[in-house]
Amino acid sequence: MSFEMLARAERRYRLPSGYFRAKLAPSGRAPMRRVRVTGTSEHRRLAWHLPDDFEDRPIHEREEILEWVRTVIVSGSTEYRRYQAEAMKVRYSLRFPSLASFSAKALPRPDCASVPAPAGSLHAPPALTRELGELIRFKTATLTRIGLKRSGVWNEESVTQKIEHFGLMFGALAAEPDSPVQGQGVPHDRLGMALLALPVVWDWYLQWRERRRGFYTAWEVNMLELGSALTRRDTGWLRQSPELALRLRPIAGLVDQTDIERARSDWDGFCDAVHAHTLTRTREIARIARVHRDPFEPILPILEQESPVGAYRRITAEILDRMPDMHRYPRAAAEAVRGFLMLRLGLHLGVRQKNLRQLLLCPRGTPHRTERQLENLRRGELHWNARDGGWEVLIPSVAFKNANSSFFGKRPFRLLLPDFDGLYSHIEAYIARHRPLLLGDAEDPGTFFVKTVKRSSADAAYNQSTFYEAWRLVIQRYAIFNPYTGRGAIKGLLPHGPHNVRDVLATHILKRTGSYEQASYAIQDTPEMVAKHYGRFLPQDKAALAARILNQVWQDE
């Protein structure tokens, strides 16, 4: 091997071990290793994180290193990750391919509380698909059909989430009892939205989920709230669709002929009963629900720092320190710059993944889109602001998940990016050199961030899943400190996605100011949402902040 020849030269001339290798420019590529793995993809993932002398180490050390890499870097060693890995081995969700147009390429988040189904999952029966399509049209139409009433509408993300959740519920009902899923075995031709009007169906599904996970979580509470909304008086879609009762058929253990006759004769009373039942179950489960996926767990080493943003910034410094030579390794350099800009823009903007992923690019010197055009597209844009002499991000309020929040007041989000640590030079190099290289011959989607186009993936546009994986890959390669290689920015960090940056920003401001309101400004939300979901502001942090102010008295005197 060439590295072995370098090592011999070092020994011959009594140079320190690794002297010549330290002078080699980073290639941004994983070296080939002789590792016993199940396939090429796993070999590629593991090779990145193995020490240079891996093949020279004893077998027990090699096994120890591989186990650590698999557990900490590749999978992430949290309880939820282990549960998710096991759950994904057994697929059961029903798919609704003909409803994909409603969600416009939005995909389920990989780290959500439920497991997304693969392309090979069972397709939902046409009748069920048609009924769910009617519900989606009801909740997304600009105007409801004459005679119908509704409370609230669903956006693109809500539609995607509801399709996924209904797919999981009906998939569990349809799965055979003697299969690994241990479902109810409901025949596909008897699946229908009318089943949501039966308390026994809800109880079966809740207990099935509790057996599968071991306890109840907020996921079950949210599903029950959806059931309550569907059967609410005046505005519930299920209550306003009595014709659904005509499709009810007897199902062993769930529906008998008496239920069917009662539903067809008194649909309102039927919906009253299930509405009261789901409200009761919501209160009961909310009281005992546990948190399974702690969103702070992967980034605790950062949140526990006095300056969480400063700690996260070290990841971007690590990327620059290990940046491949753009002339010798152009694609690897382009991917590294893209990862650097993902993290930097995430830290400066504090927006959700969707807004960062869909951010459009207006190259310097070309007219940028107007606010009205961006409102119609429901996307933001990165463009050069000639008046202020800087790169500016403009995102209309309608593009945000919480568009009606008091933070916006129906006005757009506008931020001039600061030119710290050479940010502008990296943006301009990415636009001029790296982004075209990543695109290749593929059609330009117009977004600032684009995928690396390969023969196996000709579409350059990121979706929710691929953007999450791209961010997670940057964290795996540059952020997690590897004790066997000495590379990585932060000890104890685990793989995570872009949403965690919002936790970092909110917690940083809380530690510095103690103000939930100021923390909410950093992530375009409300103080209540920060207190409930984003800020990790512990009693010792509050005490330390108060002590800093009080101790100033002694320092001044």
Side-chain angles (χ1 to χ4, degrees):
M1 293 176 63
S2 57
F3 287 144
E4 176 60 26
M5 297 304 296
L6 291 178
R8 290 181 184 181
E10 290 165 355
R11 290 192 295 269
R12 169 66 178 81
Y13 295 103
R14 299 178 182 180
L15 295 170
S17 177
Y19 175 83
F20 287 120
R21 181 172 293 196
K23 296 184 176 299
L24 297 175
S27 68
R29 296 183 295 185
M32 293 298 296
R33 308 284 191 192
R34 289 194 293 269
V35 184
R36 292 182 180 179
V37 294
T38 56
T40 305
S41 61
E42 186 185 14
H43 183 280
R44 189 167 56 249
R45 286 195 300 270
L46 295 176
W48 260 96
H49 310 288
L50 302 180
D52 296 334
D53 61 349
F54 176 80
E55 293 162 355
D56 299 327
R57 297 196 181 200
I59 183 66
H60 71 275
E61 284 190 26
R62 281 181 275 166
E63 292 297 331
E64 175 187 302
I65 294 170
L66 287 173
E67 178 61 24
W68 185 87
V69 172
R70 286 190 177 107
T71 303
V72 177
I73 295 183
V74 176
S75 63
S77 57
T78 66
E79 179 190 347
Y80 176 75
R81 282 287 176 194
R82 289 190 290 271
Y83 160 78
Q84 188 184 45
E86 288 300 314
M88 289 182 71
K89 294 177 182 177
V90 180
R91 308 288 191 165
Y92 62 90
S93 178
L94 294 185
R95 302 282 285 177
F96 298 87
S98 61
L99 301 182
S101 59
F102 284 107
S103 55
K105 291 188 178 181
L107 297 176
R109 214 179 71 195
D111 61 337
C112 64
S114 53
V115 180
S121 299
L122 293 173
H123 286 184
L128 176 61
T129 302
R130 188 165 51 251
E131 292 172 359
L132 181 54
E134 285 297 322
L135 168 60
I136 294 172
R137 274 185 283 274
F138 171 77
K139 295 296 288 185
T140 58
T142 304
L143 300 175
T144 58
R145 283 204 334 256
I146 295 175
L148 297 182
K149 298 179 182 179
R150 70 180 174 193
S151 175
V153 296
W154 290 347
N155 60 20
E156 181 181 297
E157 285 71 31
S158 297
V159 170
T160 299
Q161 183 189 68
K162 299 304 185 291
I163 291 175
E164 179 198 354
H165 289 183
F166 282 125
L168 291 167
M169 183 175 187
F170 286 109
L173 287 167
E176 293 298 328
D178 57 354
S179 69
V181 179
Q182 298 179 342
Q184 181 63 20
V186 177
H188 275 220
D189 62 351
R190 302 200 175 190
L191 293 173
M193 297 296 286
L195 292 176
L196 302 181
L198 287 114
V200 67
V201 171
W202 283 103
D203 276 3
W204 179 88
Y205 188 51
L206 293 171
Q207 292 164 17
W208 177 86
R209 288 192 65 88
E210 192 271 341
R211 287 195 306 271
R212 185 174 173 85
R213 192 190 295 265
F215 50 87
Y216 291 115
T217 67
W219 197 97
E220 287 76 35
V221 174
N222 294 338
M223 199 68 185
L224 284 165
E225 289 173 344
L226 173 60
S228 300
L230 291 176
T231 53
R232 187 182 295 129
R233 278 195 171 274
D234 297 330
T235 59
W237 173 81
L238 203 61
R239 186 183 286 268
Q240 297 177 85
S241 306
E243 68 279 2
L244 295 175
L246 300 176
R247 284 200 60 240
L248 277 174
R249 296 290 185 273
I251 300 172
L254 290 181
V255 186
D256 58 29
Q257 192 60 38
T258 304
D259 295 323
I260 297 172
E261 292 172 359
R262 190 158 59 89
R264 292 176 180 176
S265 61
D266 184 15
W267 183 249
D268 252 0
F270 211 64
C271 289
D272 281 337
V274 75
H275 184 73
H277 180 77
T278 51
L279 289 176
T280 300
R281 288 287 185 260
T282 300
R283 290 190 293 269
E284 291 173 339
I285 291 181
R287 179 176 54 84
I288 60 173
R290 290 166 53 185
V291 175
H292 198 183
R293 184 182 66 87
D294 181 357
F296 298 144
E297 187 173 4
I299 56 170
L300 274 181
I302 289 176
L303 300 182
E304 290 171 347
Q305 299 285 324
E306 184 177 348
S307 172
V309 171
Y312 212 91
R313 177 189 172 191
R314 289 184 356 227
I315 306 173
T316 62
E318 178 82 5
I319 298 174
L320 295 181
D321 288 344
R322 293 163 53 190
M323 182 72 67
D325 186 319
M326 69 172 66
H327 301 292
R328 296 184 62 189
Y329 311 105
R331 174 171 288 187
E335 291 175 342
V337 172
R338 180 185 61 196
F340 169 81
L341 291 174
M342 279 184 178
L343 270 59
R344 283 294 302 270
L345 265 62
L347 284 170
H348 290 304
L349 301 177
V351 296
R352 288 178 172 84
Q353 193 237 76
K354 169 197 167 185
N355 302 111
L356 190 61
R357 163 173 50 91
Q358 295 182 347
L359 191 67
L360 297 170
L361 170 63
C362 177
R364 192 170 177 173
T366 59
H368 61 77
R369 296 172 181 85
T370 65
E371 288 183 24
R372 178 64 59 86
Q373 289 173 320
L374 293 175
E375 284 179 0
N376 292 336
L377 294 170
R378 292 180 177 268
R379 294 186 175 203
E381 181 183 75
L382 174 68
H383 57 241
W384 180 259
N385 186 319
R387 183 186 62 188
D388 295 329
W391 286 100
E392 180 183 67
V393 171
L394 175 64
I395 308 177
S397 60
V398 295
F400 288 87
K401 178 181 178 181
N402 57 330
N404 296 320
S405 169
S406 58
F407 173 86
F408 295 106
K410 299 188 181 301
R411 295 185 179 276
F413 169 84
R414 189 189 300 268
L415 182 72
L416 192 73
L417 295 174
D419 189 15
F420 296 147
D421 295 338
L423 178 61
Y424 283 12
S425 64
H426 289 296
I427 289 176
E428 287 158 8
Y430 174 76
I431 295 172
R433 180 187 183 96
H434 303 303
R435 188 175 176 275
L437 178 65
L438 296 172
L439 275 173
D441 296 328
E443 181 181 354
D444 190 342
T447 52
F448 180 69
F449 294 111
V450 292
K451 289 165 36 181
T452 305
V453 176
K454 304 174 184 176
R455 283 177 296 180
S456 58
S457 58
D459 186 5
Y462 277 113
N463 58 42
Q464 185 172 348
S465 179
T466 54
F467 193 84
Y468 171 89
E469 289 301 330
W471 187 292
R472 196 168 188 267
L473 185 63
V474 173
I475 299 303
Q476 289 172 326
R477 291 184 176 180
Y478 300 101
I480 301 172
F481 177 76
N482 186 331
Y484 300 103
T485 64
R487 295 192 295 266
I490 300 169
K491 290 183 178 180
L493 197 67
L494 292 175
H496 58 271
H499 200 74
N500 283 111
V501 171
R502 292 164 62 81
D503 302 319
V504 172
L505 296 173
T507 301
H508 181 94
I509 293 179
L510 284 172
K511 285 191 170 189
R512 293 300 177 92
T513 68
S515 169
Y516 284 98
E517 183 170 2
Q518 290 187 50
S520 72
Y521 297 160
I523 59 173
Q524 310 89 40
D525 224 312
T526 62
E528 294 77 19
M529 289 298 290
V530 171
K532 187 175 181 181
H533 295 292
Y534 292 104
R536 188 176 186 270
F537 198 35
L538 301 179
Q540 60 263 33
D541 300 321
K542 300 172 185 177
L545 181 62
R548 273 206 307 270
I549 298 172
L550 296 174
N551 292 345
Q552 192 66 39
V553 175
W554 276 264
Q555 295 172 1
D556 292 343
E557 295 180 1

